Amino acid sequence: MYERVLLTTDGSVLSRAAVEHASRLVDRARGEVVVLAVSEPLPQFPAQAATVDPAAPRHPGLTDAMAAEFTAAARAHAGALRAALGATGVAQVSIDVSVGLPGETIVARARDLACDAVVMATHGRSGLARTLLGSVADHVVSHLRDVPVVLIRPTEDQAAVLADPAWAANAAAALAANARYQRVLVGLDGSPFALRVLPFAVRACDDATGRIELVEVIDALPRAVRGHADEDAGGGESETSLAEREATAAYDRARDYLAAARERAMALGAGTVDTAICGGVPEDALVDYVRTRGVDLVAMTTHGRSGMARSLLGSVPNAALRRLAGTPLLLLRPGG
């Protein structure tokens, strides 16, 4: 479980989706959720600034009234999320209303408050290409080190539930039956770097009834694994044989890597750990795996050099949010 979770909200209905996942992550009895609402500063135009005498006494004007109104609205929305979190059983919930640029402010407050996880809802209108490149979530994932960021893109059905006046009661009822994540997929690529997300995935999973699934995708599976018994066509035996040997070597490396990863996850306290090797394009194979196995959280590491576009697993996080609406994605950018 996590001790202090930062839940960010932009005041939209969809940001309510973060409530359920912050409640799933945090230790409800001893932990704390901080609801952060960021109010962006109103622009000040050069002509306006030039007419203001710095020495003159300041009188509240239209700009001040608008800023106060925006801040009050942000506080009211954060208060509604705080009440909803309380209804789900979270004992400690606080509100933080800050003024600043959203991405920079979220990163700064996560560090200042020593939060060990951040939860954000994303609209994801056309995948990460538009919603994360240069956006708030992209900035947070790219600049926040060693703190997992959980992104959730609600489905249309979920969005309708969130718009219902009884959404807080609905969230509480859903969590009453299943508080923790039960099936957590960890996407791996054969590198030590990818394994650094393991402790965070284990902390998110129910240690009594949950299941960690370690999955690696390789380009091609050996024929014995695929179950193919067909003979090579004449004239292509040497080439096919070489490809088969390479596929077998890649499979053996993945099997050994996943076995070591399983031992590490068990040492971290995971209750049940399964491993799987899939063949094909990583984003396609992992998306299919999530859909068929009922995974309720996907965890991965990312280099975050320029956001998700250059993530460790290429376009996998992109595909996860674009094609797996409703399934949260935990992304970690390790430091050092």
Side-chain angles (χ1 to χ4, degrees):
M1 296 183 184
Y2 289 80
E3 299 302 318
R4 179 171 289 165
V5 174
L6 186 69
L7 184 161
T8 72
T9 175
D10 61 1
S12 69
V13 168
L14 289 187
S15 65
R16 295 172 176 174
V19 166
E20 174 187 343
H21 299 284
S23 184
R24 288 189 188 279
L25 290 170
V26 75
D27 184 328
R28 295 185 187 179
R30 297 182 297 274
E32 178 186 13
V33 174
V34 179
V35 180
L36 174 63
V38 181
S39 180
E40 294 193 61
L42 294 175
Q44 186 164 11
F45 302 100
Q48 178 187 24
T51 61
V52 176
D53 181 0
R58 190 137 199 275
H59 302 286
L62 179 60
T63 300
D64 297 308
M66 291 176 63
E69 183 178 344
F70 291 158
T71 300
R75 188 174 296 279
H77 183 78
L81 299 191
R82 177 174 61 181
L85 283 161
T88 68
V90 180
Q92 300 182 57
V93 186
S94 59
I95 291 177
D96 185 337
V97 178
S98 300
V99 177
L101 298 177
E104 296 176 1
T105 303
I106 292 169
V107 171
R109 297 307 291 154
R111 290 171 177 162
D112 294 343
L113 297 170
C115 295
D116 49 7
V118 175
V119 183
M120 308 176 65
T122 176
H123 293 274
R125 295 183 184 91
S126 57
L128 293 185
R130 287 191 176 182
T131 61
L132 291 188
L133 187 59
S135 72
V136 175
D138 182 63
H139 182 93
V140 174
V141 173
S142 299
H143 291 82
L144 193 59
R145 306 289 188 93
D146 292 325
V147 177
V149 179
V150 177
L151 303 176
I152 175 68
R153 181 167 81 90
T155 64
E156 291 185 4
D157 289 342
Q158 289 171 336
V161 172
L162 294 171
D164 190 305
W167 68 274
N170 294 334
L175 288 167
N178 182 14
R180 303 285 302 283
Y181 293 109
Q182 295 297 308
R183 194 177 290 268
V184 177
L185 180 149
V186 181
L188 299 172
D189 68 351
S191 73
F193 183 85
L195 295 174
R196 295 174 69 173
V197 77
L198 274 180
F200 302 95
V202 171
R203 288 176 69 182
C205 189
D206 191 312
D207 51 9
T209 60
R211 182 182 299 271
I212 298 286
E213 306 203 17
L214 309 176
V215 180
E216 182 177 354
V217 180
I218 58 178
D219 290 338
L221 295 176
R223 181 168 301 154
V225 175
R226 297 194 308 266
H228 293 173
D230 52 301
E231 296 295 331
D232 297 331
E237 292 187 9
S238 61
E239 182 178 351
T240 303
S241 178
L242 175 61
E244 184 67 14
R245 288 197 301 271
E246 290 175 345
T248 301
Y251 181 84
D252 291 342
R253 284 193 299 270
R255 182 189 57 199
D256 295 342
Y257 171 81
L258 290 176
R262 182 180 185 278
E263 290 184 8
R264 183 176 299 188
M266 295 294 290
L268 290 168
T272 303
V273 183
D274 295 332
T275 63
I277 302 172
C278 304
V281 179
E283 55 264 37
D284 293 338
L286 283 179
V287 165
D288 289 344
Y289 190 96
V290 170
R291 286 174 172 167
T292 57
R293 297 296 294 267
V295 169
D296 53 5
L297 177 68
V298 177
M300 303 177 197
T301 54
T302 175
H303 285 290
R305 295 189 185 97
S306 60
M308 246 63 64
R310 294 188 180 181
S311 65
L312 177 66
L313 298 180
S315 58
V316 176
N318 207 330
L321 275 187
R322 187 180 68 252
R323 299 163 59 185
L324 293 173
T327 301
L329 175 64
L330 184 154
L331 288 177
L332 174 74
R333 185 186 181 193

